[in-house]
Amino acid sequence: MPNASGTGAELNKDGLDNLSDDDLVDMFLARSRDDRGAAHQCFEVIIARYGGLINHVVRSSRFRYPAWDSADDVVSRVIFKVYRGLAQWRRQGRLASFIARIAASEMIDAIRKVGRDKSWNPRAGRADPDDDEPSAVETAPSLAASPEAEAVDRERREIVDRLLADVCRDWKDSVIVNEYIINNQGAKEIGEKYNMSEDLVYQRARRLRVRLTKWLAERGITSAEALLGGRIKN
């Protein structure tokens, strides 16, 4: 293993750069328990290594993010989730695939949330910054669900997140599960949005359905429709 000895600010930067993903994550997790400064140095190297991948996944969509939830906001949330989620990376695939799945899932969630916000018109011009009148966003009725509905949705989201982590091999799998299998988007539309061929969508979807059914059965979940809100495509 390349030498990356030292504590805190004394960690050898060149040594960290030369560590494998496995060793770097191991060091990050070990230092997180007793030396946050050193852990942050390790994490900075991870993001330096895969920040371009995160940006590519988030910004490759043709979706136009609104000002209140920009692509930069999505990237920031992905980085935070990677930081919190590295302990769950179980070496069952490349670190790049693990990070790409988190980025794809967060991007899709952002697109869904904005799509449900009827107050946003992507074709409308920017508001006058000196206008004292409240904006359409400020005057829009609350879209917040009840606490009970939020709890159910949160539990379902956690299950789906675990499903994506276990079933999907890369960010393309995550997109196909979310948009094609769950949300019934057309293969042509998905292909154009994410620069995939329709054949790739169809072929992967067939394999992913088998993995999906097996994953659900192993956990005693007999109804994919109940888990995914009745939207799953056969």
Side-chain angles (χ1 to χ4, degrees), residues 44-120:
E44 286 173 3
V45 174
I46 293 171
I47 295 304
R49 213 172 267 183
Y50 293 109
L53 172 64
I54 294 171
N55 274 282
H56 173 73
V57 172
V58 172
R59 300 176 195 278
S60 64
S61 171
R62 297 181 184 179
F63 174 76
R64 178 187 167 196
Y65 296 94
W68 70 85
D69 196 17
S70 67
D72 288 339
D73 295 324
V74 178
V75 168
S76 295
R77 292 200 298 272
V78 171
I79 291 174
F80 175 74
K81 288 189 175 182
V82 171
Y83 184 91
R84 294 290 299 272
L86 281 175
Q88 277 70 56
W89 179 47
R90 297 183 297 277
R91 310 297 200 272
Q92 295 180 4
R94 296 183 303 134
L95 181 60
S97 298
F98 174 79
I99 290 174
R101 283 198 299 269
I102 293 175
S105 180
E106 189 63 33
M107 175 193 68
I108 292 167
D109 279 351
I111 293 173
R112 285 177 180 166
K113 289 174 184 175
V114 172
R116 291 195 295 265
D117 189 343
K118 305 305 181 184
S119 68
W120 181 57

Side-chain angles (χ1 to χ4, degrees), residues 169-189:
R169 299 292 184 262
D170 56 28
W171 70 270
K172 290 182 180 179
D173 281 357
S174 297
V175 166
I176 292 169
V177 169
N178 270 290
E179 301 215 3
Y180 183 74
I181 296 177
I182 297 177
N183 284 319
N184 293 314
Q185 295 293 314
K188 182 177 181 181
E189 179 183 352

